[in-house]
Amino acid sequence: MFSNEDYLLELISEAGLISAEEVQSIRHQNQGDSNMIEQLISMNRVTEQQVSQVCAQNARVDFYDLSNVSITPEVVATMTEEVARRFNAVAVLDDGKTLTVAVSDPLSIETSDSLPHVLQREVHLICGTPSSITKLIDTYYGNKDAEMEDQTFTVVTGEGAESASPEDAPIIKIVSTMLKESFRMKVSDIHIEPMETTLRIRFRIDGKLIEVDNHPKKLHPAIITRIKVMSGSMSIAEKRLPQDGRIQIRIGSKEIDLRVSSVPSNHGESIVMRILDKTSLMLGLPELGFLSDDQEVIERLIRLPDGIILVTGPTGSGKTTSLYGCLNTINTPDRKIITVEDPVEYELPGINQVMVKTDIGMTFAAALRAMMRQAPNVIMLGEIRDEETAGIAIQAALTGHLVFSTLHTNDAPGAVARLADIGVKRFLIASSVRAIIAQRLVRKLCDACKAPAVLTDLEMRSLNLDASQVSESNIMGPVGCAKCRNGGFKGRMGIFEILNVDDEVRHLINDDLPAPQLRKRARELGMRTLREDGIRKVLAGTTSASEVLRVTMADND
């Protein structure tokens, strides 16, 4: 409901609405298990409007009663539903220059910092009560929860294209229900795994696998067959060899692509379906996790006329999503963009996408050579794997093309050593690479239930924080509620390490500086490490210390 309840309690007390003794009492009773502000409101100690007025006063914004406000559709359309629900905000007035946006939590640094960049507008904030803004969002965008209860399910591609209804066969119902539920829960992967006596169904949510169902083993062949039929390209007779396929389904008005992989295991075929939700491609840089200062750097880099921009990190660190987010930002009619991917995971409107097919000689290098004859402005190469591919990418960058690609390295400076290891000459790296971005994914704290937290001594030491930094921060921790399935986290975002290859860094690369020394000098020049970027997000209350420690290494010079 509100970003920093502990701080807000103090403000409510200072406003004379509750006593200092009541603040201590509510903190003692709470113990992190419930929403303190909502508890005060339910006890009729304060009203929601009084709380919002306190927020507005301390954020130095105006408070408005939005209960009967009317907004034109044109103004509402300046903000997408995803942004409106993320910030619990709604656009109420547009004078052509400044967009007036009503928010429920004007004290949230994330809201005030990110909205102008997300909307690409000058924004004037006003404050309304959370319930009034939620009501406006549901009125103008539709009630999301109510709509989900009545979603129709349609297979768009394959021989199994039809609508599923209660009269359909039991296996069809099982599969369609599983897919609808995975969509509702924002799952990234569905794992269908035959055990000795059961068929286990697991969903991957925010990077974590959870078991959601078990079926009798006897249903395994029928469920596998149903999924293969839906793909339209997988053989139901072949059970001994791995197969790949794609399924396109429509849930309500939304189309979802699934990439299907089957592998024979000791108890039968195991299937993993990766859900490719195209809405993730529409994410702006703030939604990916870039804070305002890093966002300005990235926006400048992706609009350069030439050079290579590399994104590095292990498998599953969000590299592809970041690349697509960058391409989406610069995808305009005056630019020709071509991608080479293995495989093409998302179909991007307005972009020419080429799939690698090594069995017929369509390698990354072969596709890249062919692309150069298509006169593109921007090239995305799924991954630089060898010297030949790297050489063609560098040649493209040096002849006036902007090239995006990925490498598997642990940090940004390590990409230089990796390119040198595969045979690229240092002077070519220095002259062609414009920036290297390392990234990891951390789980975001659930906005509905996160609560103020105190870092342990070990966390303080591990994150190299001192008491003064913590005292001025908004540190939060996971609690758990129905919205996050009692996990305390909902969604993921990136943490980043950006090595901007300026003149001094070029000299360091040319001088064949070892990776540890290059990293040390880059930090002296202002490069923020993965852990340091994660620390900023811990101090802002968007993720937890344990998440940052889980995915980053200590910064040892």
Side-chain angles (χ1 to χ4, degrees):
M1 192 185 208
F2 297 99
S3 61
N4 191 339
E5 291 197 334
D6 206 49
Y7 175 56
L8 189 50
L9 275 177
E10 295 290 345
L11 296 180
I12 293 170
S13 176
E14 290 174 8
L17 298 176
I18 58 175
S19 66
E21 290 75 18
E22 286 177 294
V23 171
Q24 295 303 320
S25 175
I26 196 77
R27 283 174 177 160
H28 178 72
Q29 294 171 18
N30 180 259
Q31 297 295 317
D33 293 328
S34 62
N35 189 307
M36 292 185 284
I37 303 299
E38 284 187 354
Q39 192 172 335
L40 280 174
I41 294 171
S42 66
M43 294 164 57
N44 295 320
R45 286 298 298 115
V46 294
T47 66
E48 186 185 41
Q49 181 168 322
Q50 286 175 321
V51 174
S52 293
Q53 287 172 333
V54 168
C55 283
Q57 182 180 354
N58 284 274
R60 293 187 172 87
V61 302
D62 294 324
F63 173 81
Y64 282 84
D65 181 357
L66 302 173
S67 56
N68 295 307
V69 70
S70 178
I71 313 170
T72 64
E74 292 78 15
V75 172
V76 173
T78 60
M79 183 182 294
T80 66
E81 180 182 1
E82 183 179 0
V83 172
R85 293 192 185 278
R86 175 189 170 190
F87 294 103
N88 201 38
V90 64
V92 295
L93 183 66
D94 186 0
D95 65 6
K97 179 183 178 184
T98 303
L99 186 67
T100 300
V101 179
V103 298
S104 62
D105 190 3
L107 291 171
S108 167
I109 296 174
E110 183 185 9
T111 297
S112 60
D113 194 47
S114 297
L115 266 179
H117 292 285
V118 172
L119 300 174
Q120 295 291 299
R121 293 287 303 275
E122 182 177 320
V123 172
H124 171 66
L125 295 183
I126 64 173
C127 179
T129 63
S131 61
S132 66
I133 292 178
T134 299
K135 184 178 179 181
L136 284 173
I137 291 172
D138 287 342
T139 298
Y140 288 100
Y141 296 99
N143 189 312
K144 206 171 186 181
D145 293 333
E147 288 174 0
M148 277 305 301
E149 293 175 3
D150 191 34
Q151 295 284 19
T152 57
F153 173 88
T154 307
V155 182
V156 179
T157 56
E159 298 174 18
E162 82 288 272
S163 295
S165 69
E167 290 75 29
D168 289 326
I171 297 301
I172 294 178
K173 285 182 62 179
I174 288 173
V175 174
S176 63
T177 300
M178 175 177 63
L179 293 175
K180 288 174 69 174
E181 189 67 9
S182 68
F183 173 74
R184 185 185 68 81
M185 296 173 69
K186 299 187 182 300
V187 170
S188 61
D189 304 290
I190 303 170
H191 294 250
I192 303 170
E193 304 163 317
M195 302 288 104
E196 188 174 0
T197 59
T198 62
L199 180 64
R200 181 173 68 178
I201 310 295
R202 293 195 290 175
F203 289 170
R204 189 180 297 279
I205 303 172
D206 297 336
K208 184 179 180 181
L209 274 174
I210 61 170
E211 188 169 328
V212 294
D213 211 347
N214 269 289
H215 294 297
K217 183 67 176 292
K218 65 181 180 181
L219 297 181
H220 172 246
I223 289 175
I224 298 299
T225 297
R226 169 61 184 164
I227 291 170
K228 287 183 175 181
V229 168
M230 288 171 66
S231 78
S233 60
M234 300 172 75
S235 169
I236 61 174
E238 181 57 74
K239 299 178 174 63
R240 300 166 300 169
L241 296 174
Q243 294 187 69
D244 295 308
R246 293 183 78 106
I247 300 172
Q248 187 178 48
I249 61 174
R250 185 180 295 114
I251 298 179
S253 60
K254 191 168 185 179
E255 288 192 358
I256 306 292
D257 288 337
L258 299 102
R259 196 172 77 196
V260 186
S261 169
S262 72
V263 174
S265 69
N266 56 335
H267 295 300
E269 283 184 283
S270 173
I271 277 188
V272 174
M273 291 187 285
R274 184 174 185 188
I275 299 174
L276 307 175
D277 186 353
K278 293 178 183 177
T279 58
S280 65
L281 308 184
M282 301 299 116
L283 295 179
L285 297 178
E287 286 88 355
L288 292 173
F290 290 104
L291 296 180
S292 57
D293 52 352
D294 284 344
Q295 181 181 335
E296 290 175 5
V297 173
I298 297 301
E299 286 179 340
R300 177 183 62 80
L301 289 170
I302 65 178
R303 286 178 168 81
L304 290 173
D306 55 35
I308 297 177
I309 297 174
L310 293 172
V311 180
T312 77
T315 301
S317 59
K319 299 188 297 296
T320 301
T321 300
S322 292
L323 285 180
Y324 280 150
C326 291
L327 291 183
N328 184 62
T329 302
I330 60 174
N331 183 15
T332 55
D334 61 330
R335 281 191 180 93
K336 179 161 185 174
I337 302 175
I338 305 181
T339 74
V340 182
E341 304 169 66
D342 182 19
V344 173
E345 293 191 357
Y346 300 90
E347 293 183 6
L348 299 170
I351 293 179
N352 300 276
Q353 295 172 269
V354 178
M355 183 182 294
V356 170
K357 295 181 180 178
T358 54
D359 56 333
I360 60 170
M362 179 65 96
T363 62
F364 272 111
L368 195 49
R369 281 197 197 90
M371 283 168 56
M372 295 298 292
R373 295 191 289 271
Q374 295 284 310
N377 302 106
V378 180
I379 296 169
M380 190 196 90
L381 183 61
E383 183 183 350
I384 292 178
R385 299 180 177 180
D386 51 45
E387 182 182 1
E388 184 183 16
T389 306
I392 301 170
I394 288 171
Q395 187 64 30
L398 294 176
T399 53
H401 303 84
L402 183 61
V403 181
F404 293 89
S405 193
T406 70
L407 275 177
H408 288 276
T409 63
N410 290 328
D411 60 11
V416 175
R418 172 63 181 147
L419 288 172
D421 286 344
I422 64 176
V424 181
K425 292 181 173 56
R426 288 266 178 167
F427 78 91
L428 289 175
I429 300 172
S431 58
S432 61
V433 176
R434 297 287 179 263
I436 305 168
I437 306 163
Q439 73 175 69
R440 299 290 188 277
L441 291 177
V442 294
R443 291 182 296 168
K444 294 172 63 177
L445 290 166
C446 174
D447 288 329
C449 66
K450 64 182 181 181
V454 177
L455 298 182
T456 66
D457 290 340
L458 178 59
E459 288 173 334
M460 292 277 287
R461 290 196 302 271
S462 299
L463 297 177
N464 198 25
L465 291 172
D466 57 42
S468 63
Q469 292 173 287
V470 172
S471 65
E472 299 173 358
S473 66
N474 182 32
I475 294 173
M476 309 292 279
V479 177
C481 66
K483 289 188 177 180
C484 61
R485 296 170 296 278
N486 295 316
F489 297 91
K490 189 173 184 183
R492 288 190 291 178
M493 65 178 177
I495 57 174
F496 304 94
E497 178 176 287
I498 303 172
L499 176 59
N500 189 17
V501 183
D502 57 15
D503 288 341
E504 183 158 357
V505 174
R506 288 190 190 95
H507 287 309
L508 297 174
I509 294 172
N510 273 324
D511 291 342
D512 202 11
L513 205 67
Q517 293 182 36
L518 177 59
R519 179 178 178 79
K520 182 179 180 180
R521 184 61 183 139
R523 293 188 66 189
E524 292 170 354
L525 293 171
M527 184 188 79
R528 189 181 295 111
T529 67
L530 286 163
R531 178 159 289 191
E532 287 168 340
D533 190 44
I535 290 169
R536 292 203 300 168
K537 287 157 186 174
V538 171
L539 296 177
T542 55
T543 190
S544 70
S546 61
E547 276 295 290
V548 173
L549 292 171
R550 179 177 64 85
V551 301
T552 63
M553 304 254 319
D555 293 324
N556 297 319
D557 289 329

